[in-house]
Amino acid sequence: MHLLGKIAVAGLAFAVLGGTAYGYQNLHALDEVSRDSVIDADGGTGPGEQPADGSLDILLVGRDSRTDKEGKPLPADVLRELRAGANGDDLTDTLIVLRIPNGTHDVKAFSIPRDSYVSMPGGKGKINAAFGRAKAAEAKRQRDSGETDKAKIDQAALTAARRGTRQAVEDLTGVKIDHFAEVNLLSFAEISKAVGGVDVCLKSATKDKNSGADFPAGPQRISGADALAFVRQRDGLPGTDFARVRRQQVFLAGLARQVLSAGTLADPGKLSDLIDAVKRSVVLDASWNLLDFVSQMRGVSGGGIRFETIPVVNRDYRYDQDNPRATAVQVDPAAVKSFAAGLIGSAAPKAPPAAPVTVDISNAGPKEGLAARVAGFLGEHGFAKGTTGNTGARRTSLVTFGADLAQRGAEVAKLLGGLSTQESAAVPPGHIEVVLGSVYAGPGTTGGGGAPAAGDDPITSSGVVCVD
């Protein structure tokens, strides 16, 4: 829901690269976009935007907020049009990191599920709460220090909230965020209308009163309130939040395709509407020099944007013993960091094992073909394919191995999203055994950071993919 700010800028960047005076003039018009001090002063990138970590990284944040970019409540008639209701809170509904590697590589974007359970100031919690926690803490600090000007308190709290979200993402992923873009419900609807709608495709018809979604099956073009409903729906979808993440990815891929099309770049009216929508509603970090960003985009190949999701350990993590109904998404920070680093090819190369290591995989969950897909994924990382098949139902996953393969077993567990491990003398020599439980959500499943599930095509900006 926030790739929008970045994609809008990217579209204008390509207009500049096309040499059109109109595009260049309007890029300067974006100097009027709202700014905030989100990025640390000593962490800014140098001229040409070639960061030392090998990638320009942009955090795209979509807020489930019923306020405008300055924190003022949206009018009742606007809320009715958006079908958003009057109640909102300080949560980030969408978090996507856009990685633009130095040189001529394709752009990679990865989603962070909003319920990812992480460490942050105030104690562990869902990552979407980092915004509200930091906001409330700063507002209290301002009042305790004697500040009475509400506007100053609110602005300081918003800045702290954005910085808190950025820090939570950096701590989880190991990625140094270079730039920040934020949109809310209103800006999302306005930007989608400005580009003339976005092409999407649904596998089946769906209807949900909570989000306002009411869509037929098949390809269709959506904008405004319908676009907002499309990316907000989770009730009635298989995988709920993970299905919503995939909805958001396919919509943003379509938005990128639409912005970069000749129909938008060559249409002064659409470009003007897009710029106006961005200026009204998008918040960027104060350090983002858009002309430098254009220079960085010159080095990006035309392969488009590919969307993925961080690996997760457990989608149904019961993190509170006193409230067993409370659930979150369990993640392994080490696996997430390895995944994020691998998107720009900076993951440490693995030395070949002294002897072949075979991985036998049993599927203890309901996903058909999962064991074979995971075997294929491990094969890409140097492990030999052993037996694959189904086994008795089991909720959690487990990797077992002999004492001599403890290091390689730990490697398999990490590759699959941080699975539990166990040493066992019963495992045949040269083998590692993996049982995939019903809540397994690593590579080979939708939203697991690796290969897509059967029937789920990779999402890129090069074409329309049908989703649930």
Side-chain angles (χ1 to χ4, degrees), residues 15-197:
V16 175
L17 296 180
T20 66
Y22 186 85
Y24 188 81
Q25 176 184 350
N26 280 275
L27 182 65
H28 279 287
L30 277 176
D31 289 341
E32 301 172 29
V33 173
S34 294
R35 303 282 188 157
D36 200 357
S37 180
V38 184
I39 306 300
D40 292 330
D42 61 351
T45 54
E49 299 280 24
Q50 298 288 318
D53 69 354
S55 180
L56 183 72
D57 296 299
I58 302 170
L59 174 59
L60 309 160
V61 176
R63 288 178 57 200
D64 187 13
S65 171
R66 277 70 170 171
T67 61
D68 62 17
K69 62 181 180 179
E70 297 173 348
K72 298 176 182 177
L74 296 176
D77 60 330
V78 173
L79 290 175
R80 283 194 297 271
E81 180 184 353
L82 297 178
R83 310 167 198 158
N87 296 321
D89 49 28
D90 291 317
L91 299 176
T92 49
D93 213 32
T94 310
L95 295 169
I96 293 180
V97 175
L98 190 78
R99 305 216 75 179
I100 306 176
N102 297 342
T104 56
H105 295 76
D106 294 342
V107 179
K108 304 290 180 64
F110 65 87
S111 297
I112 300 171
R114 66 174 196 164
D115 287 345
S116 299
Y117 200 68
V118 300
S119 297
M120 54 185 169
K124 288 190 174 182
K126 298 178 182 179
I127 198 168
N128 68 338
F131 189 99
R133 282 192 187 185
K135 181 181 177 183
E138 179 61 20
K140 182 179 185 301
R141 192 189 72 80
Q142 290 283 327
R143 290 190 294 267
D144 290 347
S145 67
E147 182 61 67
T148 58
D149 187 315
K150 185 177 185 302
K152 290 183 178 179
I153 294 173
D154 289 347
Q155 183 55 57
L158 275 175
T159 299
R162 290 164 180 149
R163 292 174 68 89
T165 297
R166 186 214 76 210
Q167 190 63 58
V169 170
E170 288 184 344
D171 291 345
L172 173 63
T173 64
V175 171
K176 180 68 178 73
I177 298 300
D178 300 300
H179 293 304
F180 174 97
E182 174 192 297
V183 301
N184 60 17
L185 302 183
L186 176 62
S187 54
F188 178 80
E190 288 186 340
I191 290 173
S192 62
K193 286 191 290 186
V195 300

Side-chain angles (χ1 to χ4, degrees), residues 208-259:
D208 169 47
K209 66 178 181 179
N210 290 332
S211 63
D214 187 1
F215 302 109
Q220 51 206 287
R221 177 165 287 197
I222 58 177
S223 65
D226 285 340
L228 187 58
F230 181 86
V231 297
R232 290 182 68 224
Q233 182 184 0
R234 61 174 175 167
D235 294 339
L237 299 181
T240 58
D241 271 332
F242 282 83
R244 178 161 66 173
V245 165
R246 194 163 169 81
R247 284 268 193 103
Q248 292 167 353
Q249 291 175 343
V250 78
F251 183 88
L252 294 173
L255 179 63
R257 192 165 52 251
Q258 184 70 5
V259 168

